[in-house]
Amino acid sequence: MTLPEVGIFARTFPRTTAGKVATAVAEAGFRLAQFNFSAIALPTLAPDVSLDAVTAVGRDFRDAGVTVWGLSATYNIIHPDRARRSRQTRQAARLIEMSPLLGVTAVTLCSGTLNTGDMWTGHPDNRSTAAWADLRSTLDALLEAASNAGIKLGIEPEAANVVDSAQRAHRLISELGSDARHIGIVLDPGNLVAPETIHRQDDIVNEAFDLLGEHIIGLQAKDLTAAGPAPLGRGDLDYTMICRRTLELGRAVPLIIQDATEDDASRSGRYLRDRLHAARNT
């Protein structure tokens, strides 16, 4: 069995140009990346970026021998400020429609929070009917853009957002019906398992794979302990088990390293490849 590719967030290597970012990714030992325009000091949604500039990013990564698997288009898609939400949705749709110039499989999103200060902080009403309706409304516009572009929207279950669990992700896919073909799940065990639930990680992670397996298009990899975040491989998440479940999907699903420091990127990549080999041999 060919092992899945291990990639990394390109913003791990902030540089002044996409070519320099791509070179740094390759020199750290990666042939796969998730790109965010913040890596070259632009806003994530890059509202003013031109078609030529996006084309150049794709060319720079190809020249460096790095495939751009995904493009980040993260913003708060249920922000209570409707004018802001509408403006950013138009920007995200434009970015999605340009994303084939990078050769991506997916454009990744945040499923949103009613917290106006930070889209990675929860809110008591995120599980309300109104919040779910806002999520579905915004997704309609983005699904149309994804259909036009021929890519998938990557939805990541995230504890602080509306889609905060494997169960909520499964509900979304079920409700979307035929439109679900434009959605893929980006599974990050470090978002589903919290420091206080790390003793239950086997149940949580296995449930996510069981519920969402056929829809998973990528995994993100970071680590944690009961005390909080940790460098990949130096925490308590069982990546041999996670990699085994990934291999059981029976298709090439990449693992993208998140939250590594530049100095620790190469070691993190080696660790994850070692866990994939261990999983294949168990």
Side-chain angles (χ1 to χ4, degrees):
M1 177 192 297
T2 301
L3 293 179
E5 192 74 48
V6 172
I8 196 164
F9 274 37
R11 61 174 168 79
T12 306
F13 309 92
R15 299 288 191 272
T16 55
T17 68
K20 292 178 179 178
V21 174
T23 297
V25 169
E27 289 178 345
F30 298 94
R31 296 183 299 170
L32 193 74
Q34 178 162 329
F35 187 72
N36 188 318
F37 276 95
S38 67
I40 52 173
L42 293 176
T44 293
L45 294 180
D48 300 318
V49 75
S50 67
L51 286 170
D52 287 345
V54 177
T55 300
V57 170
R59 183 177 63 246
D60 287 342
F61 273 80
R62 287 191 296 274
D63 288 349
V66 178
T67 297
V68 182
W69 174 83
L71 173 64
S72 298
T74 47
Y75 72 105
N76 189 350
I77 70 174
I78 67 161
H79 196 289
D81 182 337
R82 292 182 178 273
R84 170 176 170 166
R85 188 199 315 168
S86 179
R87 180 181 70 255
Q88 291 185 322
T89 298
R90 290 192 300 271
Q91 293 169 354
R94 177 176 180 266
L95 199 60
I96 290 165
E97 291 182 349
M98 291 193 293
S99 67
L101 296 170
L102 301 175
V104 304
T105 296
V107 174
T108 61
L109 302 171
C110 159
S111 65
T113 177
L114 291 172
N115 187 300
T116 59
D118 178 17
M119 66 180 174
W120 307 118
T121 300
H123 188 279
D125 294 332
N126 279 354
R127 278 184 160 259
S128 67
T129 301
W132 189 264
D134 283 345
L135 166 65
R136 291 294 310 276
S137 176
T138 303
L139 272 182
D140 283 345
L142 301 179
L143 284 164
E144 181 178 357
S147 176
N148 293 338
I151 58 91
K152 289 187 180 291
L153 300 179
I155 302 294
E156 180 181 347
E158 157 69 50
N161 289 167
V162 174
V163 179
D164 62 358
S165 64
Q167 296 95 329
R168 298 270 281 183
H170 187 265
R171 172 188 169 185
L172 177 65
I173 290 167
S174 298
E175 287 186 6
L176 284 171
S178 62
D179 281 341
R181 69 188 186 277
H182 303 306
I183 292 285
I185 297 299
V186 178
L187 191 66
D188 185 339
N191 283 345
L192 294 177
V193 179
E196 60 271 17
T197 61
I198 199 161
H199 62 288
R200 295 182 48 245
Q201 64 172 296
D202 283 10
D203 291 341
I204 294 168
V205 172
N206 281 314
E207 179 185 42
F209 274 97
D210 291 344
L211 277 176
L212 303 171
E214 66 181 296
H215 304 288
I216 294 173
I217 58 172
L219 273 81
Q220 290 181 357
K222 55 179 180 279
D223 216 334
L224 76 160
T225 70
L232 185 63
R234 293 175 177 161
D236 294 327
L237 285 180
D238 184 352
Y239 269 96
T240 302
M241 179 268 288
I242 292 165
C243 288
R244 178 177 56 78
R245 290 304 311 257
T246 303
L247 294 177
E248 288 172 356
L249 295 174
R251 58 187 188 278
V253 174
L255 293 91
I256 311 292
I257 295 170
Q258 179 182 353
D259 293 347
T261 64
E262 184 168 342
D263 289 343
D264 199 37
S266 294
R267 183 205 62 82
S268 296
R270 291 192 299 272
Y271 165 76
L272 205 50
R273 294 184 193 100
D274 285 347
R275 292 303 88 208
L276 282 166
H277 282 286
R280 182 175 61 179
N281 294 329
T282 56

